[in-house]
């Protein structure tokens, strides 16, 4: 319940910020173009707060935080007194109307730059994308690694951490091949291109590369074995009331063996626990210098795939990453502007590419996410810290801007399409054609939203 409330709160905050940015774009340009704005509303339904500004605009925060709108004076909607007709939206030139409509999505891109600017100014702790092996039979099997290697570029595009690798890989879905450039692990500066230029490049055949984005990662399905520091099997947490706590395990215990067989590593320990649902195991531990053997019975839990797995309720001490594999993406006030703009452009390019592949069928409709997934993402990133929440806001803001520019009636892009036609033909699109288009656009949007919601519930 607490997690639900946290996710809901983070979702409302994120949505409120993004909607405000979007609607402020429309509002600001409308005012600059001489259009009278009657209402600036964040949310729909009954107002929970409102006031009339000195400019005559009613500012509203409404009860349902799932959108917002800017109500402008418009003779197509209501009767306008003759003395105010020059401030009506429909009386403005087609270029002014295009600017007002486009300002909302543009504001989303500007907001993304601002959010990423503060993210880079604060600094993002991360790790370098280092792999230690490749899986046989996978697209990455062409790379035979003798020691850990750092991915420094994907198809010539420089990458510094796993997030950038992930974005670059996803953009190649549906393509026949991609290349990975590897270099020896070293303390490489984030602005140093020497490793990319001197690294070894491998060409990977991905013509048969497919994966389920809900259950699989593009990194692992490609066959890349991510380097992780070895986990020391010393317990850092024992869940109260769990199977481990009931067996008498305590924080600080060192795990030595299961059924008399020494533990090889933490991953093998997890695998054995998962395979022993409701089965009693003899667990050898070291506590305060003494060896103890405790019988434990992992509780049966249903996994994401529906299979029953054992669950013990313990976690180990977090391993320390080597210093030369850690990275702090932090820049000064001026350099952060450049980095934020570059990251926004990269997010935009990947998002547009993925949207196109959605229509061509290279990307499944299962990848569509709705409000539930967005709420979970907002809650997760907010729990990690401000810098991660800012990155999440930037990503969603870019996607909001792109979606609104799709030339679909009922979206900003649909209005722009009509105005472009008007600018070319020198006459407005007939109201009948616009109405048909709006009905079609609303129906298609409803279908896409239904699919996204269905995907959300399926993930739950």
């Amino acid at each position: 319940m607490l997690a639900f409330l946290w996710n809901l709160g983070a979702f409302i905050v994120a949505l409120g910020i993004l909607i405000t940015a979007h609607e402020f774009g429309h509002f600001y340009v409308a005012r600059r173009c001489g259009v009278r704005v009657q209402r600036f509303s964040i949310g729909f339904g009954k107002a929970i707060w409102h006031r009339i500004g000195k400019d005559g605009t009613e500012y509203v925060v409404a009860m349902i935080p799932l959108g917002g709108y800017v109500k402008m004076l418009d003779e197509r909607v209501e009767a306008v007194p003759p003395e105010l007709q020059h401030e009506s939206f429909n009386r403005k030139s087609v270029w002014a109307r295009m600017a007002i409509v486009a300002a909302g999505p543009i504001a989303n891109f500007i907001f993304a730059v601002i959010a990423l600017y503060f993210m880079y100014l604060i600094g993002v702790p991360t790790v370098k994308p280092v792999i230690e092996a490749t899986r046989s039979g996978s697209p990455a099997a062409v790379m035979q690694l003798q020691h850990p290697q750092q991915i420094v570029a994907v198809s010539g595009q420089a990458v510094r951490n796993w997030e950038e690798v992930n974005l670059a890989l996803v953009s190649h879905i549906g393509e026949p091949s991609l290349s990975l450039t590897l270099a020896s692990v070293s303390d490489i500066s984030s602005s140093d291109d020497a490793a990319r230029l001197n690294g070894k490049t491998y060409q990977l055949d991905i013509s048969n590369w497919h994966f389920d984005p809900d259950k699989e990662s593009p990194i692992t399905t490609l066959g890349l074995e991510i380097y992780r520091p070895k986990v020391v099997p010393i317990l850092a947490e024992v869940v109260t009331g769990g199977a481990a706590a009931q067996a008498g395990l305590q924080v600080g215990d060192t795990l030595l063996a299961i059924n008399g067989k020494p533990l090889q590593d933490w991953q093998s320990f997890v695998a054995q626990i998962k395979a022993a649902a409701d089965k009693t195991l003899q667990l050898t531990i070291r506590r305060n210098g003494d060896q103890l053997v405790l019988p434990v019975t992992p509780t049966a839990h249903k996994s994401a795939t529906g299979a029953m797995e054992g669950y013990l309720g313990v976690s180990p001490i977090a391993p320390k990453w080597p210093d030369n594999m850690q990275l702090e993406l932090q820049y000064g006030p001026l350099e952060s502007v450049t980095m934020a703009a570059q990251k926004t452009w990269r997010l935009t390019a990947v998002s547009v590419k993925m949207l196109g592949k959605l229509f061509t069928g290279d990307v499944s409709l299962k990848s569509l996410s709705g409000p539930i997934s967005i709420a979970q993402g907002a809650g997760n990133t907010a729990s990690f810290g401000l810098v991660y929440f800012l990155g999440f806001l930037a990503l969603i803001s870019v996607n909001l801007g792109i979606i609104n520019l799709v030339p679909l009636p009922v979206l900003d892009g649909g209005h722009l399409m009509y105005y472009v036609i008007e600018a070319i033909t020198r006459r407005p699109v007939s109201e009948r054609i616009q109405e048909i288009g709006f009905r079609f656009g609303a129906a298609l949007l409803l279908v896409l939203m239904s699919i996204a919601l269905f995907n959300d519930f399926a993930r739950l």
Side-chain angles (χ1 to χ4, degrees):
M1 186 61 180
L2 189 61
F4 169 78
L5 292 175
W6 176 262
N7 289 347
L8 180 63
F11 175 68
I12 292 174
V13 170
L15 205 58
I17 292 172
L18 297 178
I19 290 169
T20 301
H22 181 90
E23 298 303 334
F24 180 78
H26 292 309
F27 169 79
Y28 178 78
V29 176
R31 292 291 304 277
R32 297 292 293 180
C33 290
V35 175
R36 178 181 288 269
V37 177
Q38 297 172 301
R39 178 179 293 177
F40 183 114
S41 179
I42 304 302
F44 299 111
K46 185 178 180 181
I48 56 178
W49 176 89
H50 77 101
R51 76 176 183 86
I52 305 295
K54 294 180 180 179
D55 53 5
T57 300
E58 181 187 15
Y59 297 90
V60 176
V61 176
M63 188 171 289
I64 305 173
L66 295 178
Y69 62 94
V70 172
K71 183 183 178 184
M72 292 172 268
L73 196 66
D74 195 327
E75 292 174 279
R76 298 170 302 173
V77 178
E78 59 186 346
V80 177
E83 66 273 14
L84 295 179
Q85 288 179 354
H86 68 285
E87 294 183 279
S88 181
F89 175 82
N90 63 290
R91 292 290 182 115
K92 299 302 175 182
S93 70
V94 67
W95 303 108
R97 282 177 277 146
M98 289 173 67
I100 293 169
V101 170
I106 291 172
N108 283 123
F109 295 115
I110 294 173
F111 174 81
V113 174
I114 294 171
L116 291 171
Y117 171 79
F118 284 106
M119 184 187 80
Y120 285 127
L121 201 61
I122 297 169
V124 187
T126 184
V127 294
K128 297 177 182 179
V130 177
I131 56 175
E132 57 183 353
T134 57
R135 193 173 65 251
S136 61
S138 68
V142 295
M143 302 185 295
Q144 299 295 323
L145 306 185
Q146 302 302 319
H147 50 82
Q149 295 274 290
Q150 178 178 339
I151 302 174
V152 293
V154 177
S155 295
Q157 177 182 307
V159 290
R160 298 165 296 179
N161 56 22
W162 281 115
E163 181 197 6
E164 293 180 359
V165 170
N166 193 60
L167 279 174
L169 292 179
V170 165
S171 68
H172 286 78
I173 292 175
E175 298 180 9
S177 65
L178 63 80
S179 65
L180 292 180
T181 303
L182 306 183
S184 297
V185 178
S186 59
D187 202 3
I188 303 170
S189 168
S190 60
S191 60
D192 188 2
D193 291 332
R196 180 167 56 89
L197 296 174
N198 298 326
K200 185 174 181 179
T201 299
Y202 299 86
Q203 200 73 20
L204 277 60
D205 180 2
I206 58 170
S207 54
N208 296 316
W209 179 43
H210 303 286
F211 66 95
D212 184 347
D214 291 335
K215 300 176 182 178
E216 300 171 302
S217 158
I219 296 166
T220 54
T221 54
L222 201 60
L224 303 173
E225 300 290 343
I226 298 174
Y227 169 85
R228 292 183 177 87
K230 188 174 181 180
V231 178
V232 179
I234 300 176
L235 300 185
E237 181 183 8
V238 178
V239 176
T240 303
Q246 293 176 11
L249 286 169
Q250 300 176 7
V251 172
D253 288 346
T254 301
L255 308 181
L256 301 177
I258 294 181
N259 292 337
K261 294 182 179 180
L263 292 176
Q264 300 299 317
D265 50 44
W266 183 261
Q267 284 71 26
S268 65
F269 168 72
V270 171
Q272 291 180 70
I273 295 299
K274 285 185 175 181
D278 291 331
K279 296 179 182 178
T280 300
L281 303 172
Q282 301 300 317
L283 188 61
T284 304
I285 66 169
R286 180 186 296 116
R287 180 186 298 166
N288 299 326
D290 299 325
Q291 281 196 16
L292 304 173
V293 178
L294 301 176
V296 296
T297 306
T299 307
H301 276 233
K302 185 177 287 187
S303 69
T305 60
M308 298 305 293
E309 295 180 345
Y311 175 75
L312 200 56
V314 295
S315 61
I317 292 176
K320 188 179 183 303
W321 285 82
D323 290 339
N324 68 335
M325 293 188 188
Q326 297 182 54
L327 188 63
E328 179 84 12
L329 298 180
Q330 186 175 29
Y331 305 95
L334 293 179
E335 196 176 3
S336 291
V337 175
T338 302
M339 300 308 300
Q342 289 177 354
K343 180 66 177 285
T344 301
W345 173 253
R346 185 176 294 184
L347 288 174
T348 302
V350 172
S351 298
V352 169
K353 213 170 185 180
M354 294 300 290
L355 186 63
K357 291 181 179 183
L358 192 66
F359 286 103
T360 60
D362 290 324
V363 175
S364 170
L365 287 173
K366 289 183 178 180
S367 62
L368 282 176
S369 294
I372 297 176
S373 293
I374 295 172
Q376 289 177 326
N380 289 338
T381 53
S383 64
F384 293 147
L386 176 61
V387 291
Y388 301 101
F389 189 58
L390 288 171
F392 173 80
L393 288 177
L395 174 63
I396 300 301
S397 191
V398 164
N399 279 270
L400 187 60
I402 291 170
I403 290 171
N404 268 283
L405 285 174
V406 173
L408 186 68
V410 309
L411 296 177
D412 290 333
H415 291 285
L416 284 173
M417 177 179 66
Y418 287 143
Y419 294 146
V420 167
I421 295 172
E422 180 179 343
I424 295 172
T425 62
R426 297 183 181 277
R427 61 181 181 181
V429 177
S430 71
E431 290 188 8
R432 176 169 173 74
I433 297 228
Q434 288 192 46
E435 184 180 352
I436 293 172
F438 286 136
R439 287 181 179 179
F440 170 78
L444 183 57
L445 199 60
L446 182 61
V447 169
L448 292 175
M449 288 177 64
S450 299
I451 293 173
L453 278 170
F454 177 82
N455 291 343
D456 280 355
F457 285 115
R459 293 185 186 106
L460 285 176

